[in-house]
Amino acid sequence: MTATSKVVEQVAVRLRAARRVLLLAHVTPDADALGSALALGLALESLKLEQHIVVSFGDDPMVVPRMLTCLPGAHLLADCHAIAADEQPFDVALSCDVSTLNRLGANQDAFLAAQTSIVVDHHASNTGFGDINLIDPSAPANAVLVLQIVDALGVVVTEEIAQAIYAGLITDTGNFKFPATNPAAHLVAARLLSTGMKHDFIARKMYDDDDFAAVQLLGRSLARSVLDREALHGTGFVWTTVTTEDRAALGVSIDGAERVIDTLRITSEAEVACVFKEDDHGIWKISLRSKGAVDVGLVAQTLGGGGHKFAAGATLGPDVSSAIDDVRRALDAVR
Ligand code: AMP
Ligand code: MN
Ligand code: MN
């Protein structure tokens, strides 16, 4: 038995024994975080152990991003206020795809108050802030670790559970394009598809189903993108902005900005791509992507954020020019 599989067993034992279980994704969740938490919630529910199962993420208000509304298990969701109003601590709180405690946002206290806290993650930077830590940076997605827990629980993987896990898998592997894609990613996908789950439905809802206004926002942002061929010792840097002004003019929420990086990053003249996104409070957030030569996870960490080697992010300040300067300086420093 490997060290990881021992921890998987330990996690399953704790989950089975708990009466009240809190499953948490990181703030502004992606499909790997929320899909993982929902899959685990559905798996526990299927065991009919008379548990109180809550899935949450610490955004206030807690609004499920549009591209994730296709995920099953929405009946398990409760926001940080409902959790705080409940006063009783949870027996087990388990975080999914959360690299640091502060990524739990408004759910940090509930996590810490639980009798047993469990961290399940695949970020190499995770230092282990739980009582039990299942951290495997070689996992292509957190959802793959969740599937191991589901198996250890003895749960039959239903189409719904498979869909939630698949959503995480395709997101973190960039639809099986990113370097994180390993043989295990395809083996897991094959197993999930064999449940009969509708992979085409999930893929379309998540990646090919945007409002026209969001498509236009993509156009505006790409039209003003900047390519600096000399940056990063000539390997190139491409960047652009998504402003609240543009979003307001087109009636697009911050979710609609998520697509921009996926297109910007295809620029062959640039090793690194960055999208600066202004949120509804005028704060700039960045999405960083690297083709391989630059560890943008490290770059994001120096900016107070985090992430993986090839995909990372951070929250900067209210001034876009200093945000751009900060990113350029951090890129220069890391290389
Ligand atoms: P995104 O560009 O928002 O898709 O984020 C890419 C990756 O960067 C995520 O999967 C997270 O691992 C990480 N990340 C994004 N924003 C932050 C942040 N503010 N703090 C820490 N990690 C982040
Ligand atoms: Mn994530
Ligand atoms: Mn992940």
Side-chain angles (χ1 to χ4, degrees), residues 35-304:
S36 287
L38 289 169
L40 209 42
L42 290 168
L44 286 171
E45 197 178 46
S46 78
L47 288 172
K48 299 192 169 43
L49 298 172
E50 295 192 10
Q51 292 174 316
H52 177 57
I53 303 161
V54 175
V55 175
S56 185
F57 53 94
D59 289 317
D60 187 14
M62 188 187 85
V63 181
V64 175
R66 178 193 154 121
M67 71 182 288
L68 302 185
T69 53
C70 62
L71 294 178
H75 62 283
L76 299 171
L77 287 168
D79 69 7
C80 62
H81 299 292
I83 291 168
D86 190 5
E87 282 179 10
Q88 277 188 72
F90 284 83
D91 300 322
V92 169
L94 183 151
S95 69
C96 289
D97 199 40
V98 178
S99 53
T100 52
L101 185 63
N102 69 344
R103 297 271 289 156
L104 287 170
N107 285 325
Q108 287 175 60
D109 289 347
F111 180 84
L112 294 172
Q115 204 180 356
T116 304
S117 61
I118 302 176
V119 169
V120 180
D121 191 23
H122 69 132
H123 287 88
S125 60
N126 197 316
T127 50
F129 54 91
D131 299 324
I132 301 174
N133 299 287
L134 172 59
I135 297 161
D136 182 359
S138 73
N142 191 77
V144 171
L145 299 175
V146 163
L147 180 60
Q148 291 172 19
I149 300 171
V150 169
D151 286 339
L153 285 168
V155 166
V156 175
V157 179
T158 60
E159 284 183 40
E160 283 199 330
I161 295 170
Q163 278 186 359
I165 293 175
Y166 189 78
L169 183 63
I170 60 172
T171 296
D172 274 34
T173 58
N175 292 303
F176 305 104
K177 287 188 297 186
F178 294 165
T181 311
N182 58 10
H186 285 286
L187 288 169
V188 167
R191 182 174 160 208
L192 297 172
L193 261 56
S194 71
T195 65
M197 63 154 280
K198 307 223 170 357
H199 62 89
D200 52 338
F201 166 79
I202 288 288
R204 179 165 47 81
K205 282 288 173 196
M206 285 179 51
Y207 291 106
D208 297 334
D209 188 41
D210 270 359
D211 290 336
F212 181 57
V215 176
Q216 291 202 303
L217 182 74
L218 174 67
R220 281 196 195 197
S221 306
L222 293 176
R224 63 162 168 265
S225 58
V226 179
L227 171 64
D228 181 349
R229 294 169 191 268
E230 307 311 317
L232 293 162
H233 306 281
T235 56
F237 175 52
V238 66
W239 59 273
T240 194
T241 54
V242 182
T243 62
T244 42
E245 196 185 343
D246 275 354
R247 289 200 293 106
L250 292 163
V252 183
S253 72
I254 189 83
D255 287 5
E258 296 303 311
R259 300 288 184 220
V260 182
I261 191 65
D262 293 335
T263 308
L264 192 68
R265 63 177 282 279
I266 71 178
T267 307
S268 45
E269 295 92 335
E271 172 62 33
V272 173
C274 184
V275 175
F276 296 81
K277 300 171 281 188
E278 188 181 16
D279 74 9
D280 293 341
H281 309 286
I283 300 297
W284 290 86
K285 298 184 171 182
I286 54 164
S287 281
L288 277 167
R289 299 291 183 272
S290 156
K291 297 225 168 82
V294 178
D295 185 342
V296 289
L298 279 181
V299 174
Q301 270 183 49
T302 66
L303 295 163

Side-chain angles (χ1 to χ4, degrees), residues 26 30 33 97:
H26 59 68
D30 49 35
D97 199 40

